[in-house]
Each structure stands twice: as C-alpha cells, then as structure tokens.
Amino acid sequence: MREMLTDGPLDVLTGDYLAELTMLILARDRLKDPSLGYARTFLRQLEECLGLALERGVRIVVNAGGLNPARLADAVRELAKSQGLDPAVGHVEGDDLLPRREELGLPEGLLAANAYLGAFGIAECLRGGADVVVTGRVTDAALVAGPAVAHFGWGPGDLDALAGAVVAGHVLECGAQATGGNYAFFREHDVTRPGFPLAELHADGSSVITKHPGTGGAVTVGTVTAQLLYETGGPRYLGPDVTARLDTVRLTGDGPDRVRIDGVRGEAPPATLKAGLNRLGGHRNEVVFVLTGLDIEAKAALVRRQFEDGMAADRRPAELRWTLARTDHADAATEEAASALLRLTARDPDPARVGRELGRVAVEMGLAGYPGFHLTAPPGPGAPYGVFEAAYLGAGEVEHTAVLPDGRRVAVPPAPVTATVQEEQKEQGPEEEGADPGPTRRAPLGLVAGARSGDKGGDANLGVWARDEPGRRWLYRTLTTELLRELLPEAAELPIARHLLPNLRAINFTITGLLGEGVAAQHRFDPQAKALGEWLRSRRLDIPEALL
C-alpha cells in the first residue's frame, strides 16, 4: 500500500482481500467472535498509510469487509480517530445472505453465504463523498468499475464502457500477476520484486495497464494476456452489472510497461447473481510415508495392504485416497533424491476416524513395515475442512445497499435490462486448416506457449496462449480436448469445455470437477490448480521446428 501511494500519482487505491477460501476463514473467525469476519490485515496496512492517502487525495476502495463490512467501517473510523484523522467512510452491504437463509431457500449448515455484488454501491459511496469505501463480497472487478462509474457518470446502460472497466479490474485484481508474477516466461524479465499494476481508465471504457516508474517486473502484452485468462471461462465473462465479451478485447503495446486495452464490448448481465456458499464438509488428515531406494511400487503396495488390514472396518474413514509421487531418482547422490512419497488422505464427518485411529495404525506399522519405514511427520489430529459451492439468485432478491459517510442508506437496484445466459459451445471451431507444418521435433509445449491456471470452486481453469500468429494457428489445430486429456491424464475422464479467444491468441479450458469440492477440501496435490498450466507446458509433443 505504501509503495502504491508513494511511487507515483494515483486517484484511487483498490485492494482485493477475498477469495473462496478466505470467506471460509473469515466465517470461522466470526464463529469465535461475532465482531470479527473482516480482513484484519487491511487495518494493519491502513495504520501506516491512511494519513498519507488523505494527504495525497487518494481514495481507498477495498472488499476487506468480508462478512462484516459495517464493523470494519467502524474500525477504520476508530483507527483514524486514534491518529487525529477524520476520513469520510462508507460501506456496502447486502451481500450477506445468511440472515435470510430460510427466506431465500438456501440449505442448512452454512457458515457463510454471500452474493457477488456489482459496482454501483461503491459508486454511490464515492459520490456521497467517501474517502474510504469498504465492502463485503463484491466481484473483484467491481473495485475498479465502481470508481469508474462514479468518476465518469456511467449508468447501467453504458455496457461497453462498463465491460472495459470490468476487464481492467480483472487485470488488476491479482496484483503482481499482471506485472510478471506467476508468468510463464518469467526468465525474460527481472521479477525478483515486481511492482503492482495500475490502470489509466478512460471515459469510453478503454484503459492502459501500467505500473509506477522504477518498480520491478514488467507490463507486456504477454503478462496482461496471462491475467486475462486467469480464472475465466468462455468468451462471455458474466457479472452483476455487465457481461464482458472477452473475445472482443484488443491488447496493444503503448510504450515501455504500457499495454492498451480497447474494443471491449458489453452485453446485458444475467438476471441472476452468483452467491458463494461455504459449509463444513467434515474432517481430514493425511500421513505421508517416505519410500527410499529400490522396489518403490512394491513398498507402496505393502503399505496399503498393511494399513487397510490394520484398520478395523467399523473405524474406517469414509474416504481414503492414496497418491504415490515418484520423486525418486535412480543411483541418487542424496537420500532425499532417492525417495518417493506415498500420501494417504483420509476424510470423514467424524473427527475421531481421521485422528487418533489413523495415527495408531500408521505408527504400529513402523517396526513391521517396508525397509526404511519413516514418515515426513508424526500423525496429528484431524482438521475440519470446508466446501465451497455456487448458487444463483434472482438479482432482485438481494438487498444491495450503500451506506454513505453521513449514515444515509441508499438502495442499489438491480440492472434494469438483463439477458438469458447463453450456453457457450464446448468445442469451438471448426479447427483451422493449414499448410504442412514441415519437420517436427518432440519438445515441451512451454517452448512455444504460455499458460495460466486457477480454480473456480471444484473446477479448474486453464488458459493457454501462443506468442505469435503462426503459433496460434498451430495451437488451435493441435490442442484439442482429446489431446489435453492425453497430456493431463488426471482430467481424462472429466468434462472439459474449450473456448477460443483469437484476439488473445488463446484457448481457455474449463475442467469440471478436477478439484473435487474446492480448495478447502484439499482434494488433490495442487488444490487450487495453480500449477496445472506449468504441468501442461512441461508435457512433450511434436512441435513444428519452424515454431521452435
């Protein structure tokens, strides 16, 4: 926060503090103390920077309110008073659906239920004179679109302008991911300490993505492309205010560390709002066995036989998952390099079944198991895990309210014109025909393509882009859903949607169910699919030598 305020000019500073997992963490905080439920890290940052922001005339818009935006707004006022400051503070509420669970027909047992609100509540607070606006659950892009609505006076009908601001907001929402962080071609730039991105917004919705002069990292068409593909699906990017057409986005270089975004078209938003529902899914635990040297597969088989034989049927967890990671190397120079890891993950509604009983069986195998038996850590008690799922409500059912600095409450109506969500084609085509590519060589896909991946609940998003037009044509012909299943065997039996974004030279895949019940359930080794794209880039296939 200090870097953004001191390294260059700024009108509005935004901060995105919420993720699906964060909402579960905040819900557990609120269970312990009803006055909590907001991101306390924001207050620690503000303690250092509030006076500086007010001095420089920079307004602050954050979703750090989490499950308790009204309480965070009060905490901001208390912090300001302790420093002799008097900022105007507004907040946005109405996203919390838990108090209305029965009325809305939501299931029992929820820890949190929050609708994704849009930009116009934020805009009302800013128009009402707020220096600081805190919200609960809004769309990540609303933090940028809200100030743009307030500044340019856009209304709900300015769909193209709103869509452009949403795209800019999506680029900014993950901070340094737009300036070289998590970037496939990171070796091309110094990303030791990338700066944070900023957007210069214009009245027509176009923008320039850049960063403060002298800060690290880089803003390039590639880094912006990567972030645009992150956690999106098909060409229609749905939101509460507008549906942004990602297949209309144009990116052009505008000088060093400057990328212009324009051409974005907007359509009416859907008539429903997405809501994130968090509940406890049960309890989980894991034991990791270290297998060293020879006969790794046979040792793993022995562990499974002994473990399952040693566990009484009436105490067996509801789910046991075994995963063998062959991290071992032949004739290794160190013991660690000679070892593989066999991971046992257990889940059950009863914490006792994944706690003491799991540890008892594992420890009792110690002197009667495979040669070299040891664990990465002693078995501990089980821990609760959460489950995230999405629900959809009529936009008019959600009470979107802006609470202005003077205490006035302004109801924010839903979008006046909505559209029926159109089902995107799962396989866009036809595939491009092309001339004979000439000689090919077996090589990693990552030599000619970048990738960025992430999670949406239990689904994984995987965006892949080519670096030039010949590469795009080859990628479109080659990287089909069938080939993706071959390259990523974990997805072989799962539904996969494939979407083409020619302006970005990209393909966006959604792999349904790869992450089970979401990140908090820890369904797989990489529970948020953060490295799925890098796994794909490491896979080898026949690539035209002309591209290499």
PDB file of all heavy atoms in Angstrom, residues 59-60 73-74 76-77 86-92 121-134 401-410:
ATOM      1  N   ARG A  59      -8.347   8.116  -2.825  1.00  0.00           N
ATOM      2  CA  ARG A  59      -9.463   7.409  -2.206  1.00  0.00           C
ATOM      3  C   ARG A  59      -9.168   5.912  -2.194  1.00  0.00           C
ATOM      4  O   ARG A  59      -8.485   5.399  -3.085  1.00  0.00           O
ATOM      5  CB  ARG A  59     -10.747   7.719  -2.951  1.00  0.00           C
ATOM      6  CG  ARG A  59     -11.030   9.229  -2.927  1.00  0.00           C
ATOM      7  CD  ARG A  59     -12.120   9.624  -3.891  1.00  0.00           C
ATOM      8  NE  ARG A  59     -13.357   9.919  -3.202  1.00  0.00           N
ATOM      9  CZ  ARG A  59     -14.460  10.358  -3.803  1.00  0.00           C
ATOM     10  NH1 ARG A  59     -14.483  10.528  -5.114  1.00  0.00           N
ATOM     11  NH2 ARG A  59     -15.546  10.611  -3.111  1.00  0.00           N
ATOM     12  N   ILE A  60      -9.687   5.228  -1.197  1.00  0.00           N
ATOM     13  CA  ILE A  60      -9.385   3.813  -0.987  1.00  0.00           C
ATOM     14  C   ILE A  60     -10.674   3.013  -1.100  1.00  0.00           C
ATOM     15  O   ILE A  60     -11.679   3.342  -0.455  1.00  0.00           O
ATOM     16  CB  ILE A  60      -8.739   3.595   0.395  1.00  0.00           C
ATOM     17  CG1 ILE A  60      -7.381   4.313   0.461  1.00  0.00           C
ATOM     18  CG2 ILE A  60      -8.567   2.117   0.694  1.00  0.00           C
ATOM     19  CD1 ILE A  60      -6.750   4.303   1.845  1.00  0.00           C
ATOM     20  N   ALA A  73     -15.914  -0.773   8.785  1.00  0.00           N
ATOM     21  CA  ALA A  73     -16.050   0.679   8.607  1.00  0.00           C
ATOM     22  C   ALA A  73     -15.904   1.395   9.944  1.00  0.00           C
ATOM     23  O   ALA A  73     -15.225   2.431  10.053  1.00  0.00           O
ATOM     24  CB  ALA A  73     -17.393   1.001   7.959  1.00  0.00           C
ATOM     25  N   ASP A  74     -16.509   0.845  10.997  1.00  0.00           N
ATOM     26  CA  ASP A  74     -16.346   1.440  12.332  1.00  0.00           C
ATOM     27  C   ASP A  74     -14.889   1.356  12.796  1.00  0.00           C
ATOM     28  O   ASP A  74     -14.359   2.302  13.398  1.00  0.00           O
ATOM     29  CB  ASP A  74     -17.241   0.715  13.341  1.00  0.00           C
ATOM     30  CG  ASP A  74     -18.713   1.061  13.178  1.00  0.00           C
ATOM     31  OD1 ASP A  74     -19.010   2.107  12.568  1.00  0.00           O
ATOM     32  OD2 ASP A  74     -19.556   0.270  13.645  1.00  0.00           O
ATOM     33  N   VAL A  76     -12.259   1.369  10.956  1.00  0.00           N
ATOM     34  CA  VAL A  76     -11.488   2.378  10.224  1.00  0.00           C
ATOM     35  C   VAL A  76     -11.653   3.739  10.892  1.00  0.00           C
ATOM     36  O   VAL A  76     -10.681   4.490  11.066  1.00  0.00           O
ATOM     37  CB  VAL A  76     -11.920   2.431   8.748  1.00  0.00           C
ATOM     38  CG1 VAL A  76     -11.292   3.630   8.042  1.00  0.00           C
ATOM     39  CG2 VAL A  76     -11.533   1.136   8.035  1.00  0.00           C
ATOM     40  N   ARG A  77     -12.868   4.065  11.291  1.00  0.00           N
ATOM     41  CA  ARG A  77     -13.110   5.351  11.961  1.00  0.00           C
ATOM     42  C   ARG A  77     -12.358   5.410  13.293  1.00  0.00           C
ATOM     43  O   ARG A  77     -11.779   6.447  13.650  1.00  0.00           O
ATOM     44  CB  ARG A  77     -14.611   5.549  12.191  1.00  0.00           C
ATOM     45  CG  ARG A  77     -15.420   5.671  10.901  1.00  0.00           C
ATOM     46  CD  ARG A  77     -16.897   5.972  11.183  1.00  0.00           C
ATOM     47  NE  ARG A  77     -17.677   5.929   9.962  1.00  0.00           N
ATOM     48  CZ  ARG A  77     -18.401   4.880   9.560  1.00  0.00           C
ATOM     49  NH1 ARG A  77     -18.438   3.786  10.312  1.00  0.00           N
ATOM     50  NH2 ARG A  77     -19.067   4.930   8.426  1.00  0.00           N
ATOM     51  N   ASP A  86      -9.820  12.322  10.213  1.00  0.00           N
ATOM     52  CA  ASP A  86     -11.283  12.282  10.141  1.00  0.00           C
ATOM     53  C   ASP A  86     -11.729  11.990   8.703  1.00  0.00           C
ATOM     54  O   ASP A  86     -12.338  12.830   8.053  1.00  0.00           O
ATOM     55  CB  ASP A  86     -11.873  13.604  10.634  1.00  0.00           C
ATOM     56  CG  ASP A  86     -13.389  13.559  10.735  1.00  0.00           C
ATOM     57  OD1 ASP A  86     -13.947  12.450  10.903  1.00  0.00           O
ATOM     58  OD2 ASP A  86     -14.025  14.630  10.616  1.00  0.00           O
ATOM     59  N   PRO A  87     -11.455  10.796   8.188  1.00  0.00           N
ATOM     60  CA  PRO A  87     -11.886  10.483   6.828  1.00  0.00           C
ATOM     61  C   PRO A  87     -13.386  10.191   6.776  1.00  0.00           C
ATOM     62  O   PRO A  87     -13.995   9.776   7.769  1.00  0.00           O
ATOM     63  CB  PRO A  87     -11.088   9.219   6.504  1.00  0.00           C
ATOM     64  CG  PRO A  87     -10.921   8.547   7.828  1.00  0.00           C
ATOM     65  CD  PRO A  87     -10.749   9.671   8.827  1.00  0.00           C
ATOM     66  N   ALA A  88     -13.949  10.425   5.615  1.00  0.00           N
ATOM     67  CA  ALA A  88     -15.336  10.037   5.373  1.00  0.00           C
ATOM     68  C   ALA A  88     -15.332   8.573   4.937  1.00  0.00           C
ATOM     69  O   ALA A  88     -14.686   8.213   3.955  1.00  0.00           O
ATOM     70  CB  ALA A  88     -15.946  10.918   4.288  1.00  0.00           C
ATOM     71  N   VAL A  89     -16.053   7.730   5.690  1.00  0.00           N
ATOM     72  CA  VAL A  89     -16.025   6.285   5.449  1.00  0.00           C
ATOM     73  C   VAL A  89     -17.419   5.806   5.074  1.00  0.00           C
ATOM     74  O   VAL A  89     -18.394   6.059   5.792  1.00  0.00           O
ATOM     75  CB  VAL A  89     -15.535   5.522   6.693  1.00  0.00           C
ATOM     76  CG1 VAL A  89     -15.460   4.014   6.408  1.00  0.00           C
ATOM     77  CG2 VAL A  89     -14.172   6.046   7.147  1.00  0.00           C
ATOM     78  N   GLY A  90     -17.518   5.118   3.963  1.00  0.00           N
ATOM     79  CA  GLY A  90     -18.767   4.484   3.560  1.00  0.00           C
ATOM     80  C   GLY A  90     -18.574   2.991   3.423  1.00  0.00           C
ATOM     81  O   GLY A  90     -17.448   2.501   3.354  1.00  0.00           O
ATOM     82  N   HIS A  91     -19.675   2.285   3.423  1.00  0.00           N
ATOM     83  CA  HIS A  91     -19.542   0.843   3.198  1.00  0.00           C
ATOM     84  C   HIS A  91     -20.729   0.318   2.398  1.00  0.00           C
ATOM     85  O   HIS A  91     -21.770   0.975   2.288  1.00  0.00           O
ATOM     86  CB  HIS A  91     -19.362   0.083   4.513  1.00  0.00           C
ATOM     87  CG  HIS A  91     -20.586  -0.042   5.364  1.00  0.00           C
ATOM     88  ND1 HIS A  91     -20.955   0.916   6.284  1.00  0.00           N
ATOM     89  CD2 HIS A  91     -21.524  -1.020   5.450  1.00  0.00           C
ATOM     90  CE1 HIS A  91     -22.048   0.543   6.908  1.00  0.00           C
ATOM     91  NE2 HIS A  91     -22.423  -0.636   6.413  1.00  0.00           N
ATOM     92  N   VAL A  92     -20.537  -0.875   1.855  1.00  0.00           N
ATOM     93  CA  VAL A  92     -21.563  -1.530   1.041  1.00  0.00           C
ATOM     94  C   VAL A  92     -21.950  -2.829   1.735  1.00  0.00           C
ATOM     95  O   VAL A  92     -21.089  -3.591   2.175  1.00  0.00           O
ATOM     96  CB  VAL A  92     -21.038  -1.823  -0.379  1.00  0.00           C
ATOM     97  CG1 VAL A  92     -22.093  -2.564  -1.200  1.00  0.00           C
ATOM     98  CG2 VAL A  92     -20.624  -0.532  -1.073  1.00  0.00           C
ATOM     99  N   GLY A 121     -22.968   0.155  -5.907  1.00  0.00           N
ATOM    100  CA  GLY A 121     -22.958   0.515  -4.488  1.00  0.00           C
ATOM    101  C   GLY A 121     -21.688   1.267  -4.122  1.00  0.00           C
ATOM    102  O   GLY A 121     -21.715   2.257  -3.372  1.00  0.00           O
ATOM    103  N   ILE A 122     -20.568   0.810  -4.642  1.00  0.00           N
ATOM    104  CA  ILE A 122     -19.295   1.514  -4.434  1.00  0.00           C
ATOM    105  C   ILE A 122     -19.386   2.927  -4.998  1.00  0.00           C
ATOM    106  O   ILE A 122     -18.965   3.908  -4.358  1.00  0.00           O
ATOM    107  CB  ILE A 122     -18.150   0.731  -5.104  1.00  0.00           C
ATOM    108  CG1 ILE A 122     -17.943  -0.604  -4.400  1.00  0.00           C
ATOM    109  CG2 ILE A 122     -16.863   1.556  -5.113  1.00  0.00           C
ATOM    110  CD1 ILE A 122     -17.005  -1.549  -5.129  1.00  0.00           C
ATOM    111  N   ALA A 123     -19.950   3.046  -6.202  1.00  0.00           N
ATOM    112  CA  ALA A 123     -20.067   4.369  -6.833  1.00  0.00           C
ATOM    113  C   ALA A 123     -20.925   5.307  -5.985  1.00  0.00           C
ATOM    114  O   ALA A 123     -20.605   6.499  -5.860  1.00  0.00           O
ATOM    115  CB  ALA A 123     -20.654   4.210  -8.233  1.00  0.00           C
ATOM    116  N   GLU A 124     -22.004   4.785  -5.399  1.00  0.00           N
ATOM    117  CA  GLU A 124     -22.856   5.635  -4.548  1.00  0.00           C
ATOM    118  C   GLU A 124     -22.061   6.174  -3.364  1.00  0.00           C
ATOM    119  O   GLU A 124     -22.187   7.348  -2.996  1.00  0.00           O
ATOM    120  CB  GLU A 124     -24.066   4.840  -4.051  1.00  0.00           C
ATOM    121  CG  GLU A 124     -25.119   4.573  -5.106  1.00  0.00           C
ATOM    122  CD  GLU A 124     -25.937   5.817  -5.449  1.00  0.00           C
ATOM    123  OE1 GLU A 124     -25.773   6.862  -4.791  1.00  0.00           O
ATOM    124  OE2 GLU A 124     -26.737   5.743  -6.391  1.00  0.00           O
ATOM    125  N   CYS A 125     -21.256   5.330  -2.737  1.00  0.00           N
ATOM    126  CA  CYS A 125     -20.457   5.778  -1.592  1.00  0.00           C
ATOM    127  C   CYS A 125     -19.456   6.859  -2.007  1.00  0.00           C
ATOM    128  O   CYS A 125     -19.271   7.856  -1.295  1.00  0.00           O
ATOM    129  CB  CYS A 125     -19.716   4.597  -0.976  1.00  0.00           C
ATOM    130  SG  CYS A 125     -20.771   3.431  -0.075  1.00  0.00           S
ATOM    131  N   LEU A 126     -18.816   6.667  -3.155  1.00  0.00           N
ATOM    132  CA  LEU A 126     -17.853   7.663  -3.621  1.00  0.00           C
ATOM    133  C   LEU A 126     -18.555   8.966  -3.984  1.00  0.00           C
ATOM    134  O   LEU A 126     -18.060  10.053  -3.661  1.00  0.00           O
ATOM    135  CB  LEU A 126     -17.082   7.110  -4.822  1.00  0.00           C
ATOM    136  CG  LEU A 126     -16.122   5.948  -4.508  1.00  0.00           C
ATOM    137  CD1 LEU A 126     -15.591   5.339  -5.789  1.00  0.00           C
ATOM    138  CD2 LEU A 126     -14.973   6.428  -3.619  1.00  0.00           C
ATOM    139  N   ARG A 127     -19.699   8.875  -4.634  1.00  0.00           N
ATOM    140  CA  ARG A 127     -20.456  10.100  -4.954  1.00  0.00           C
ATOM    141  C   ARG A 127     -20.948  10.778  -3.681  1.00  0.00           C
ATOM    142  O   ARG A 127     -21.167  11.993  -3.656  1.00  0.00           O
ATOM    143  CB  ARG A 127     -21.626   9.763  -5.872  1.00  0.00           C
ATOM    144  CG  ARG A 127     -21.213   9.543  -7.329  1.00  0.00           C
ATOM    145  CD  ARG A 127     -22.409   9.585  -8.256  1.00  0.00           C
ATOM    146  NE  ARG A 127     -23.228   8.401  -8.133  1.00  0.00           N
ATOM    147  CZ  ARG A 127     -23.293   7.429  -9.061  1.00  0.00           C
ATOM    148  NH1 ARG A 127     -22.566   7.523 -10.158  1.00  0.00           N
ATOM    149  NH2 ARG A 127     -24.079   6.391  -8.885  1.00  0.00           N
ATOM    150  N   GLY A 128     -21.109   9.971  -2.613  1.00  0.00           N
ATOM    151  CA  GLY A 128     -21.523  10.537  -1.327  1.00  0.00           C
ATOM    152  C   GLY A 128     -20.378  11.124  -0.529  1.00  0.00           C
ATOM    153  O   GLY A 128     -20.557  11.508   0.628  1.00  0.00           O
ATOM    154  N   GLY A 129     -19.184  11.196  -1.138  1.00  0.00           N
ATOM    155  CA  GLY A 129     -18.054  11.857  -0.507  1.00  0.00           C
ATOM    156  C   GLY A 129     -17.100  10.970   0.254  1.00  0.00           C
ATOM    157  O   GLY A 129     -16.225  11.478   0.978  1.00  0.00           O
ATOM    158  N   ALA A 130     -17.208   9.677   0.118  1.00  0.00           N
ATOM    159  CA  ALA A 130     -16.360   8.777   0.899  1.00  0.00           C
ATOM    160  C   ALA A 130     -14.897   8.874   0.478  1.00  0.00           C
ATOM    161  O   ALA A 130     -14.576   8.883  -0.708  1.00  0.00           O
ATOM    162  CB  ALA A 130     -16.839   7.338   0.753  1.00  0.00           C
ATOM    163  N   ASP A 131     -14.019   8.942   1.468  1.00  0.00           N
ATOM    164  CA  ASP A 131     -12.577   8.808   1.242  1.00  0.00           C
ATOM    165  C   ASP A 131     -12.162   7.338   1.260  1.00  0.00           C
ATOM    166  O   ASP A 131     -11.187   6.952   0.608  1.00  0.00           O
ATOM    167  CB  ASP A 131     -11.791   9.549   2.330  1.00  0.00           C
ATOM    168  CG  ASP A 131     -12.107  11.025   2.380  1.00  0.00           C
ATOM    169  OD1 ASP A 131     -11.970  11.692   1.318  1.00  0.00           O
ATOM    170  OD2 ASP A 131     -12.476  11.508   3.464  1.00  0.00           O
ATOM    171  N   VAL A 132     -12.888   6.550   2.055  1.00  0.00           N
ATOM    172  CA  VAL A 132     -12.622   5.114   2.179  1.00  0.00           C
ATOM    173  C   VAL A 132     -13.943   4.387   2.000  1.00  0.00           C
ATOM    174  O   VAL A 132     -14.946   4.743   2.639  1.00  0.00           O
ATOM    175  CB  VAL A 132     -12.015   4.756   3.548  1.00  0.00           C
ATOM    176  CG1 VAL A 132     -11.763   3.250   3.638  1.00  0.00           C
ATOM    177  CG2 VAL A 132     -10.732   5.535   3.801  1.00  0.00           C
ATOM    178  N   VAL A 133     -13.953   3.384   1.129  1.00  0.00           N
ATOM    179  CA  VAL A 133     -15.132   2.540   0.932  1.00  0.00           C
ATOM    180  C   VAL A 133     -14.725   1.101   1.221  1.00  0.00           C
ATOM    181  O   VAL A 133     -13.758   0.594   0.634  1.00  0.00           O
ATOM    182  CB  VAL A 133     -15.687   2.636  -0.498  1.00  0.00           C
ATOM    183  CG1 VAL A 133     -16.922   1.743  -0.649  1.00  0.00           C
ATOM    184  CG2 VAL A 133     -16.018   4.074  -0.865  1.00  0.00           C
ATOM    185  N   VAL A 134     -15.452   0.458   2.136  1.00  0.00           N
ATOM    186  CA  VAL A 134     -15.210  -0.964   2.394  1.00  0.00           C
ATOM    187  C   VAL A 134     -16.463  -1.730   2.017  1.00  0.00           C
ATOM    188  O   VAL A 134     -17.587  -1.274   2.254  1.00  0.00           O
ATOM    189  CB  VAL A 134     -14.809  -1.229   3.859  1.00  0.00           C
ATOM    190  CG1 VAL A 134     -13.518  -0.529   4.190  1.00  0.00           C
ATOM    191  CG2 VAL A 134     -15.891  -0.808   4.828  1.00  0.00           C
ATOM    192  N   THR A 401     -27.059  -2.459  -0.713  1.00  0.00           N
ATOM    193  CA  THR A 401     -27.235  -1.167  -0.032  1.00  0.00           C
ATOM    194  C   THR A 401     -25.899  -0.461   0.127  1.00  0.00           C
ATOM    195  O   THR A 401     -24.922  -1.059   0.581  1.00  0.00           O
ATOM    196  CB  THR A 401     -27.866  -1.368   1.363  1.00  0.00           C
ATOM    197  OG1 THR A 401     -29.112  -2.054   1.221  1.00  0.00           O
ATOM    198  CG2 THR A 401     -28.087  -0.034   2.059  1.00  0.00           C
ATOM    199  N   ALA A 402     -25.876   0.813  -0.246  1.00  0.00           N
ATOM    200  CA  ALA A 402     -24.716   1.671   0.007  1.00  0.00           C
ATOM    201  C   ALA A 402     -24.999   2.498   1.255  1.00  0.00           C
ATOM    202  O   ALA A 402     -26.027   3.189   1.321  1.00  0.00           O
ATOM    203  CB  ALA A 402     -24.457   2.580  -1.183  1.00  0.00           C
ATOM    204  N   VAL A 403     -24.108   2.425   2.238  1.00  0.00           N
ATOM    205  CA  VAL A 403     -24.242   3.219   3.458  1.00  0.00           C
ATOM    206  C   VAL A 403     -23.246   4.367   3.354  1.00  0.00           C
ATOM    207  O   VAL A 403     -22.027   4.157   3.420  1.00  0.00           O
ATOM    208  CB  VAL A 403     -23.977   2.362   4.711  1.00  0.00           C
ATOM    209  CG1 VAL A 403     -24.181   3.209   5.973  1.00  0.00           C
ATOM    210  CG2 VAL A 403     -24.893   1.138   4.728  1.00  0.00           C
ATOM    211  N   LEU A 404     -23.761   5.572   3.160  1.00  0.00           N
ATOM    212  CA  LEU A 404     -22.909   6.735   2.891  1.00  0.00           C
ATOM    213  C   LEU A 404     -22.236   7.219   4.171  1.00  0.00           C
ATOM    214  O   LEU A 404     -22.643   6.877   5.292  1.00  0.00           O
ATOM    215  CB  LEU A 404     -23.755   7.849   2.270  1.00  0.00           C
ATOM    216  CG  LEU A 404     -24.580   7.467   1.025  1.00  0.00           C
ATOM    217  CD1 LEU A 404     -25.174   8.713   0.392  1.00  0.00           C
ATOM    218  CD2 LEU A 404     -23.750   6.690   0.019  1.00  0.00           C
ATOM    219  N   PRO A 405     -21.201   8.047   4.027  1.00  0.00           N
ATOM    220  CA  PRO A 405     -20.491   8.528   5.227  1.00  0.00           C
ATOM    221  C   PRO A 405     -21.382   9.254   6.225  1.00  0.00           C
ATOM    222  O   PRO A 405     -21.114   9.227   7.432  1.00  0.00           O
ATOM    223  CB  PRO A 405     -19.427   9.464   4.634  1.00  0.00           C
ATOM    224  CG  PRO A 405     -19.179   8.931   3.258  1.00  0.00           C
ATOM    225  CD  PRO A 405     -20.502   8.445   2.779  1.00  0.00           C
ATOM    226  N   ASP A 406     -22.460   9.908   5.743  1.00  0.00           N
ATOM    227  CA  ASP A 406     -23.351  10.617   6.669  1.00  0.00           C
ATOM    228  C   ASP A 406     -24.425   9.704   7.260  1.00  0.00           C
ATOM    229  O   ASP A 406     -25.322  10.163   7.971  1.00  0.00           O
ATOM    230  CB  ASP A 406     -23.998  11.818   5.972  1.00  0.00           C
ATOM    231  CG  ASP A 406     -24.864  11.424   4.776  1.00  0.00           C
ATOM    232  OD1 ASP A 406     -25.071  10.205   4.555  1.00  0.00           O
ATOM    233  OD2 ASP A 406     -25.321  12.322   4.045  1.00  0.00           O
ATOM    234  N   GLY A 407     -24.329   8.408   6.977  1.00  0.00           N
ATOM    235  CA  GLY A 407     -25.269   7.444   7.548  1.00  0.00           C
ATOM    236  C   GLY A 407     -26.466   7.136   6.676  1.00  0.00           C
ATOM    237  O   GLY A 407     -27.223   6.205   6.976  1.00  0.00           O
ATOM    238  N   ARG A 408     -26.677   7.890   5.617  1.00  0.00           N
ATOM    239  CA  ARG A 408     -27.814   7.599   4.739  1.00  0.00           C
ATOM    240  C   ARG A 408     -27.624   6.243   4.070  1.00  0.00           C
ATOM    241  O   ARG A 408     -26.525   5.868   3.703  1.00  0.00           O
ATOM    242  CB  ARG A 408     -27.967   8.678   3.668  1.00  0.00           C
ATOM    243  CG  ARG A 408     -28.557   9.989   4.188  1.00  0.00           C
ATOM    244  CD  ARG A 408     -28.693  10.991   3.044  1.00  0.00           C
ATOM    245  NE  ARG A 408     -27.375  11.377   2.525  1.00  0.00           N
ATOM    246  CZ  ARG A 408     -27.122  11.644   1.239  1.00  0.00           C
ATOM    247  NH1 ARG A 408     -28.077  11.540   0.338  1.00  0.00           N
ATOM    248  NH2 ARG A 408     -25.900  12.005   0.865  1.00  0.00           N
ATOM    249  N   ARG A 409     -28.725   5.536   3.912  1.00  0.00           N
ATOM    250  CA  ARG A 409     -28.713   4.229   3.278  1.00  0.00           C
ATOM    251  C   ARG A 409     -29.387   4.351   1.911  1.00  0.00           C
ATOM    252  O   ARG A 409     -30.533   4.789   1.821  1.00  0.00           O
ATOM    253  CB  ARG A 409     -29.436   3.193   4.145  1.00  0.00           C
ATOM    254  CG  ARG A 409     -28.811   3.048   5.536  1.00  0.00           C
ATOM    255  CD  ARG A 409     -29.622   2.090   6.404  1.00  0.00           C
ATOM    256  NE  ARG A 409     -29.638   0.735   5.861  1.00  0.00           N
ATOM    257  CZ  ARG A 409     -28.683  -0.165   6.063  1.00  0.00           C
ATOM    258  NH1 ARG A 409     -27.632   0.147   6.834  1.00  0.00           N
ATOM    259  NH2 ARG A 409     -28.759  -1.357   5.545  1.00  0.00           N
ATOM    260  N   VAL A 410     -28.673   3.966   0.885  1.00  0.00           N
ATOM    261  CA  VAL A 410     -29.180   4.084  -0.483  1.00  0.00           C
ATOM    262  C   VAL A 410     -29.319   2.687  -1.067  1.00  0.00           C
ATOM    263  O   VAL A 410     -28.339   1.944  -1.175  1.00  0.00           O
ATOM    264  CB  VAL A 410     -28.227   4.929  -1.368  1.00  0.00           C
ATOM    265  CG1 VAL A 410     -28.746   5.008  -2.798  1.00  0.00           C
ATOM    266  CG2 VAL A 410     -28.052   6.322  -0.768  1.00  0.00           C
TER     267      VAL A 410
END
